């Protein structure tokens, strides 16, 4: 059956933002069902006049106020009766970034039986009093599901599969007020419905109003958690068993991995470093890393796989233990410390060992107007190289990054050093415009850094397989084709931390990677194989400093890996600024 989507908006005496909400969804060509939840006479009159201005809107009226949950459930039942397969729940107060609706639908089309949950990325408008109860609820939801799969159970911005959801509503009792969002999600999880989390920007309008009743609703939420806890106990064996079931569906692409943590959390860590130095930062890092190790199932499995591959390649008979994986994650945390140190100016030339110093000197003294390409990787600390370059007036270094996995940390650094965003070229996809921009920079004598160890965000099969730690791995053709188009000297760049110092390795790779038309494929294969060999070489120097926490050897094929072709959340955030 073909999926059909609608939007459900519960409304109780909300008028100040509802026009803005409807205008935001007007271009989506989606029907909207607004549930007037027993609003007062003037509000009801206003809401019932709205379909005259918005033909896609239908208003259904409840005579008495039944609470947010009651209104949403009434909207779901009505949508199901009208033949819609999925409903997107949206608040009426303008908090939600409705530009993300196409992203929700795209995820749903790839996962039609799943609930797509918005994970709030709050700005400064969020009251602290709202954040603390959320984290308390997060804890209890993790207990009630025996899983960390539900990242946020209180955000009312979701996409539901209606058949499963309405069947649950009609077969069990679910809270009708502020307890609704959490209770229905936990019970859907109990029924083995997949939960997919999607980060989305959430604001608290200055002139907004809330119907949250401090004492009554907190009491309802407390009773709900008590009921869910005891409901979890007889289900515990089945919930635990779900962690051991293997999924036959394709693995998700690295670009679909959610950027974890928050900008506020990163800023707090930066403040700890600035005030107390590295020692307290390192102490605070331990519980943070422990949390990510425990909750990051995919990244943890990838770390095990990679470290086993290292042992197999080196002939080591040692088993990979949990503390090896923890060390791998911890090194990633320390790399964040080094990025902060670099951009705060706390890394000095005396801390750096330049290998191939003559190559660095030649680039600094280069009288030619032509620049160069540095091809790096997610090994070590490439960001530190850029920070160091910013302090060297003779080298102008530009870094090409995919916005999806660069923005939160970057935004936090910009609070303390605006130069952190200087010469950072943020892209969602590689296109002609990007190539032209980079060509202009190289012709002006600037350096362009790109990474060569991640596959294309948007396209299948644009890879060459090369031996990496004794197993064929897919390497994207894009960075090397781009380097060939720029027609300039190409170097390999690695920055590793060894014995407390930063070791920079800059190896000449080619005077030009320009590809001939006659044997282009053979040339490309040879180039990528050479790159993979050097990446392997440096991985063995510092195995815990390779930070690709996903199945690197997964075939880049539609049968083996799943790409979510959605616009990135960061792009939407930029559009709203």
């Amino acid at each position: 059956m073909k999926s059909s989507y609608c939007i459900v908006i519960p409304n109780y005496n909300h008028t100040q933002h509802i026009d803005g909400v409807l205008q935001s969804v007007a271009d989506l060509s989606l029907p909207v069902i607004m549930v007037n939840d027993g609003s007062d006479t003037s509000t009801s009159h206003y809401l019932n006049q709205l379909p005259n201005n918005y033909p896609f809107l239908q208003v259904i009226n409840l005579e008495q106020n039944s609470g947010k949950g009651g209104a949403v459930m009434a909207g779901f039942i009505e949508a199901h009766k009208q033949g819609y397969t999925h409903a997107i729940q949206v608040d009426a107060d303008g908090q939600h970034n409705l530009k993300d609706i196409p992203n929700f639908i795209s995820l749903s089309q790839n996962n039609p039986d799943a609930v797509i949950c918005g994970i709030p990325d709050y700005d400064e408008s969020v009251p602290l009093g709202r954040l603390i109860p959320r984290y308390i609820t997060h804890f209890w939801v993790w207990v009630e599901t025996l899983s960390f799969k539900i990242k946020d159970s209180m955000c009312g911005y979701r996409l539901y599969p209606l058949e499963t959801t309405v069947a649950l509503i009609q077969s069990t009792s679910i809270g009708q007020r502020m307890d609704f969002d959490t209770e229905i999600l936990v019970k859907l999880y109990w029924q083995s419905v997949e939960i997919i989390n999607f980060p989305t920007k959430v604001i608290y309008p200055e002139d907004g109003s809330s119907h949250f009743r401090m004492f009554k609703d907190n009491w309802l939420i407390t009773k709900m958690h008590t009921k869910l806890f005891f409901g979890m106990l007889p289900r515990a064996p089945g919930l635990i068993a779900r962690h051991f079931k293997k999924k036959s569906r394709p693995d998700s692409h690295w670009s679909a991995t959610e950027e974890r943590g928050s900008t506020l959390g990163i800023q707090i860590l930066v403040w700890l470093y600035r005030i107390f130095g590295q020692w307290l930062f390192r102490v605070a890092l331990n519980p943070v890393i422990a949390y990510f190790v425990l909750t990051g199932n995919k990244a943890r499995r990838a770390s095990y796989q990679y470290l086993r591959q290292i042992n197999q390649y080196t002939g080591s008979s040692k088993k990979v233990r949990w503390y090896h994986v923890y060390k791998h994650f911890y090194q990633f945390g320390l790399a964040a410390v080094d990025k902060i140190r670099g951009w705060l100016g706390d890394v000095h030339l005396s801390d750096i060992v330049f290998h191939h110093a003559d190559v660095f000197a030649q680039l600094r003294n280069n009288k030619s107007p032509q620049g160069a390409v540095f091809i790096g990787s997610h090994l070590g600390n490439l960001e530190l190289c850029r920070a160091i370059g910013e302090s060297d007036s003779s080298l102008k270094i530009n870094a090409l990054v995919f916005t999806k996995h660069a923005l939160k940390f970057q935004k936090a650094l910009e609070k303390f050093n605006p130069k952190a965003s200087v010469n950072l070229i943020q892209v969602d996809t590689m296109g002609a415009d990007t190539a032209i921009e980079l060509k202009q920079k190289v012709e002006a004598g600037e350096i362009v850094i790109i990474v060569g160890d991640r596959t294309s965000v948007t396209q299948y099969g644009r890879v060459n397989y090369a031996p990496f730690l004794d197993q064929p791995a897919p390497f994207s053709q894009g960075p090397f084709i781009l380097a060939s188009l720029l027609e300039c000297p190409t170097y390999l760049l690695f920055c590793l931390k060894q014995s407390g110092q930063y070791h920079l390795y800059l190896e000449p790779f080619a005077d030009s990677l320009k590809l001939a038309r006659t044997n282009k494929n053979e040339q490309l294969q040879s180039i990528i194989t050479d790159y993979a060999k050097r990446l392997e070489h440096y991985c063995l120097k510092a195995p815990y400093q390779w930070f690709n926490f996903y199945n690197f050897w997964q075939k880049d094929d539609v049968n083996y890996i799943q790409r979510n072709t959605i616009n990135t959340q960061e792009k939407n955030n930029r559009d709203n600024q």
Side-chain angles (χ1 to χ4, degrees), residues 174-453:
I174 296 176
Q176 294 195 331
R177 295 195 175 271
M178 296 300 180
D179 48 352
F180 164 78
D181 288 321
T182 298
E183 186 170 3
I184 193 169
L185 201 57
V186 170
K187 288 186 173 180
L188 285 169
Y189 182 85
W190 284 354
Q191 292 195 351
S192 299
V193 173
E194 184 179 6
I195 309 295
I196 296 177
N197 302 292
F198 181 78
T200 182
K201 189 174 182 180
V202 174
I203 62 170
Y204 275 79
E206 292 182 4
D207 57 346
S209 60
S210 172
H211 299 301
F212 188 86
R213 306 168 304 176
M214 182 61 68
F215 296 106
K216 287 185 178 180
D217 284 319
N218 275 322
W219 173 240
L220 282 175
I221 290 170
T222 301
K223 288 198 301 181
M224 172 200 67
H225 283 307
T226 303
K227 181 174 65 173
L228 290 176
F229 174 77
F230 284 104
M232 173 272 295
L233 295 178
R235 296 176 171 86
L239 293 173
I240 294 171
R242 285 169 63 175
H243 293 283
F244 300 95
K245 291 181 179 178
K246 293 184 178 180
K247 296 182 179 180
S248 58
R249 57 182 291 182
D251 198 1
S252 58
H253 188 253
W254 68 264
S255 61
T257 304
E258 297 162 8
E259 186 178 9
R260 305 179 69 198
S262 66
T263 303
L264 178 62
I266 296 168
Q267 289 174 5
I268 291 172
L269 289 177
V270 176
W271 275 112
L272 284 174
Y273 170 76
R274 292 193 71 179
I275 296 171
F276 299 103
Q278 288 193 62
W279 71 271
L280 185 60
F281 193 115
R282 289 171 179 257
V283 171
L285 200 58
N286 278 288
V288 174
I289 295 300
Y291 167 78
F292 284 117
V293 171
L294 289 171
T295 60
N297 294 334
K298 182 179 178 181
R300 188 175 63 246
R301 289 194 301 270
S303 177
Y304 270 109
Q305 178 194 30
Y306 163 69
L307 295 175
R308 288 192 196 104
Q309 202 67 40
I310 287 279
N311 286 350
Q312 179 180 323
Y313 182 81
T314 58
S316 173
S317 59
K318 292 182 179 179
K319 289 187 176 180
V320 178
R321 305 293 186 183
W322 66 267
Y323 46 84
H324 297 123
V325 172
Y326 183 89
K327 181 179 179 180
H328 192 191
F329 276 69
Y330 190 73
Q331 288 296 318
F332 181 65
L334 292 181
V337 181
D338 293 334
K339 290 179 184 181
I340 293 168
R341 293 190 67 215
W343 284 109
L344 293 181
D346 292 345
V347 176
H348 308 288
L349 290 178
S350 59
D351 300 318
I352 303 165
V353 177
F354 290 92
H355 297 261
H356 308 98
D358 56 325
V359 178
F360 282 98
Q362 183 180 354
L363 282 170
R364 289 192 183 96
N365 300 323
N366 184 17
K367 304 302 182 183
S368 168
Q370 188 180 40
V373 170
F374 292 175
I375 299 181
S377 66
H378 291 82
L379 173 69
N381 208 327
L382 208 61
E383 181 74 16
L384 188 62
C385 299
R386 195 168 65 86
I388 294 167
E390 182 59 35
S391 64
D392 189 340
S393 58
S394 61
L395 286 177
K396 189 169 183 181
I397 297 179
N398 306 276
L400 187 69
V401 297
F402 284 99
T403 55
K404 181 177 175 65
H405 290 257
L407 211 64
K408 282 187 179 178
F409 196 89
Q410 206 64 36
K411 284 173 65 178
L413 286 179
E414 287 172 21
K415 294 281 187 181
F416 301 93
N417 186 347
K419 289 185 177 181
S421 63
V422 172
N423 305 330
L424 192 68
I425 303 171
Q426 299 177 355
V427 298
D428 293 311
T429 57
M430 291 292 298
D433 291 345
T434 303
I436 292 170
E437 180 183 359
L438 297 180
K439 180 74 171 175
Q440 291 171 343
K441 290 184 178 296
V442 167
E443 289 175 347
E446 300 179 19
I447 305 296
V448 172
I449 299 180
I450 54 180
V451 295
D453 61 343

